[in-house]
Structures are given as structure tokens and as C-alpha cells.
Amino acid sequence: MTTSAQAYSSIKAAQTAKSESTYRGILIAVAIIGIWAISLMFLLSLNISNLPILWMLPAILWQTFLYTGLFITAHDAMHGVVFPNHPRINHFIGKVAVLLYALFSYNKLLKKHWLHHHKPATPLDPDFHDGTHKSFFAWYLNFMKGYWSWTQLIALVVTFHVIHHILHVPENNLLLFWVIPSILSSIQLFYFGSFLPHKEPEGGYNNIHRAQSNSLPIFWSFISCYHFGYHQEHHEYPHVPWWNLPVIYKMQKEVS
């Protein structure tokens, strides 16, 4: 297939994927937020004193996956694809998602995320390492330092104690199903959305997005991070929602 034909096919796939998201996006976003909320309320209400540890681990991983879904929903809102025909509702959903995720400011995240897209894997990219801390943990800590604030941390601590003392939710439940999943989710998002896609490969970057995609099958791509690992495709077509990234990934593989 010629280069022009490849480009045409990819563009058509992106246009199709985007056009299908008009109402599907808001339904998926509301479903993720709703399932997260129902699951969290259920887990916080459990008496875990008699539950085996092996039962708790799947619950923690499940809630981690839903936390990641919250952030991915906000991420899609930043690209205007949660509710494309209604920008105000679209951004409202994004604000709700990051507020529930960890009391983040949606507007601040929005500015930083678009800077990431305009200057990926450069010193101006807020998601990139500082040129020195390139290992996973050092990069992760540097990454988190750029997004967290003392005000946010204090607000989360206050929220924790309000829920514990006023709503009488046990501390262990809050730690296991609220605190730990949110931390694990941040690691999951960083690993699949920043570290793997944007770390410099041997021989240097080979595209203008300075990004690469994993080769996971579609099912495991979804389980790992809502297809966030198809990262080069996301940078090439930033207005395609997460659930349609496999369409672009498959198309790119077929024409390559």
C-alpha cells in the first residue's frame, strides 16, 4: 500500500472512530463514574475483620482499575471526546472525574496535558523526566511532584478523617479501598502512559510524537490501562476516545 493510501486509511479510521463517540462517550463516562462510586460505597461498608486476605486483593485490584477509569475519563474529557457536541458538559464530567480521583484541579491538568502533547518527551513536557531521573521510580517521584500540592494532600487527609469520624467508615476500609487503589492507579497510569511510551528507545526516538505503543492484544491492552498503551496512536489521533484506539492500532498495523 502506498504512503498516501496508508495515510488516507488511517485518517478515515480516525474519523469513523471519532464520529461513533458522540453519545457513546457520555454513557461510558457516566457508567465508569457510577460503577466506581457504587463499588467504593459497597467496599467501604464491608466488615472486613472476618474476610480472608485473598478476597481483599481482587477487591483492591478491581477498585484500582476503576480509579484508573476515572482518570482516563477525565483524560478523554480534556480531548473533548466525552461529549463532543456539548463542551461544557464534557468538561464538567472531566472535573468531576479528577475531583473524585484525588481532588485534582481539572484546569491545571488540562493545561499540562496539552503542553505534554505539544512538547512530548522534552524538557518542556511536564510528564517527562528531568534529564537525570530516568529510572522508573525516580521518574515516577519526579512526575508526581509536578502534579501534587500540599493543599491537595491536606484536603485529602481532612477528607479521610471526616469520612472516618463523621460517617464512621473504618480506617482499614478507607486505607484498603480508597487510599491504596488510588496510589496503585497512579503507578499504573504512569507506567503505561508515560514511562513505557515515552522513555527513549535504543537508537533514539523515531517519530515526531517521541512515543511508542505496546504490542498487547486488545483484551490485555484494556485490562492494563484502558488502551492507554496504544500511545503513539493516541498522539497521532488525540481526538479518538480510548475505546476506539484499538481501531487505529489495528489499522496502523495492517498498513505498516
Side-chain angles (χ1 to χ4, degrees):
M1 185 178 290
T2 65
T3 302
S4 59
Q6 292 175 2
Y8 176 78
S9 297
S10 296
I11 291 170
K12 289 298 290 182
Q15 290 174 338
T16 301
K18 183 181 178 182
S19 66
E20 290 174 349
S21 68
T22 302
Y23 294 102
R24 190 178 180 187
I26 189 71
L27 294 175
I28 290 176
V30 170
I32 289 174
I33 293 172
I35 294 171
W36 171 86
I38 293 170
S39 175
L40 181 62
M41 287 188 290
F42 170 74
L43 292 171
L44 292 183
S45 68
L46 287 178
N47 180 357
I48 63 174
S49 58
N50 296 323
L51 291 177
I53 294 177
L54 289 179
W55 186 93
M56 286 187 236
L57 181 59
I60 291 171
L61 294 177
W62 164 249
Q63 200 62 24
T64 298
F65 182 72
L66 293 176
Y67 261 103
T68 299
L70 281 183
F71 196 89
I72 295 296
T73 296
H75 168 266
D76 269 15
M78 294 175 197
H79 288 281
V81 296
V82 167
F83 207 5
N85 293 343
H86 298 273
R88 296 179 73 174
I89 297 176
N90 172 87
H91 291 302
F92 174 75
I93 293 294
K95 290 176 181 179
V96 170
V98 291
L99 189 67
L100 293 174
Y101 184 82
L103 303 182
F104 280 113
S105 165
Y106 177 79
N107 291 335
K108 289 182 179 179
L109 289 181
L110 180 61
K111 291 178 181 178
K112 288 190 174 185
H113 187 64
W114 278 109
L115 184 57
H116 162 70
H117 271 269
H118 291 146
K119 303 290 182 180
T122 69
L124 296 177
D125 180 359
D127 294 357
F128 201 50
H129 58 70
D130 58 4
T132 303
H133 301 91
K134 299 180 181 181
S135 66
F136 174 80
F137 287 108
W139 186 349
Y140 172 74
L141 291 175
N142 184 69
F143 172 87
M144 294 302 293
K145 185 174 66 175
Y147 282 94
W148 284 93
S149 68
W150 283 109
T151 302
Q152 182 184 1
L153 288 171
I154 291 171
L156 284 168
V157 171
V158 170
T159 302
F160 180 97
H161 286 287
V162 167
I163 294 173
H164 172 55
H165 291 290
I166 295 180
L167 299 181
H168 306 293
V169 175
E171 285 187 340
N172 286 340
N173 291 57
L174 285 167
L175 287 171
L176 287 171
F177 307 126
W178 187 50
V179 176
I180 292 177
S182 65
I183 294 173
L184 292 177
S185 171
S186 73
I187 295 173
Q188 180 182 11
L189 285 160
F190 170 74
Y191 183 72
F192 288 100
S194 292
F195 181 73
L196 285 184
H198 290 294
K199 70 175 182 177
E200 186 172 1
E202 293 184 14
Y205 298 103
N206 58 11
N207 59 74
I208 61 172
H209 306 293
R210 301 165 74 87
Q212 51 198 334
S213 294
N214 63 44
S215 57
L216 291 175
I218 290 175
F219 174 77
W220 289 111
S221 172
F222 169 64
I223 295 299
S224 67
C225 203
Y226 295 77
H227 305 306
F228 215 31
Y230 296 153
H231 212 75
Q232 183 177 340
E233 289 74 20
H234 167 60
H235 274 261
E236 289 180 357
Y237 302 100
H239 297 296
V240 170
W242 67 262
W243 63 89
N244 273 330
L245 283 174
V247 176
I248 306 300
Y249 176 76
K250 183 178 179 182
M251 180 65 69
Q252 299 284 58
K253 293 289 286 185
E254 288 176 351
V255 301
S256 61

